[in-house]
Amino acid sequence: QVQLVESGGGLVQPGGSLRLSCAASGSFFSIGVMGWYRQTPGKQRELVADIDRAGNRNFADSVKGRFTISRDTAKNTVYLQMNSLKPDDTAVYYCNVVGADYGLERFASWGQGTQVTVSS
């Protein structure tokens, strides 16, 4: 069982910054890819950014150059630094973690979501 605890959402003005954190805890053998997705009402959840154990990163085109993603492997924590925020970035942001349990079975877990609102 893996628990994900997210923090860092909130209200920010256009052009501002926020940093999201997601810490994984529980019983698991390893964590592979850690990432962030976002969703707005009536739309599908979309990948914002992810990072694997080797540090390879993927970003949605809409956030390239503005968002960065990093992880602290020892703390099983992933961070999303969001700069130059735009109203279109308003969404519920979800942490996602893919890993393996002690039976080497793959799992994928989601956080509870944190609201990010960009508005003046």
Side-chain angles (χ1 to χ4, degrees):
Q1 196 80 332
V2 177
Q3 294 80 44
L4 301 179
V5 177
E6 302 164 347
S7 61
L11 172 64
V12 64
Q13 292 187 341
S17 298
L18 282 175
R19 188 191 195 210
L20 305 183
S21 300
C22 173
S25 63
S27 178
F28 48 84
F29 177 72
S30 67
I31 289 178
V33 177
M34 305 183 80
W36 290 93
Y37 289 70
R38 65 187 182 187
Q39 189 170 24
T40 55
K43 293 189 176 181
Q44 285 191 327
R45 195 170 294 187
E46 64 174 5
L47 175 69
V48 177
D50 64 21
I51 181 170
D52 66 15
R53 290 181 65 88
N56 298 305
R57 297 165 170 84
N58 294 304
F59 293 94
D61 287 343
S62 60
V63 307
K64 285 180 181 177
R66 300 188 297 121
F67 291 11
T68 59
I69 189 168
S70 60
R71 64 189 283 173
D72 185 329
T73 301
K75 296 181 179 179
N76 295 316
T77 300
V78 62
Y79 306 96
L80 184 69
Q81 178 66 43
M82 305 185 291
N83 299 326
S84 302
L85 282 160
K86 305 174 181 179
D88 284 350
D89 295 317
T90 296
V92 177
Y93 284 69
Y94 296 90
C95 176
N96 176 262
V97 168
V98 177
D101 62 22
Y102 283 103
L104 299 184
E105 293 290 329
R106 181 184 179 277
F107 67 81
S109 293
W110 291 94
Q112 78 281 6
T114 185
Q115 177 70 45
V116 171
T117 303
V118 185
S119 175
S120 55

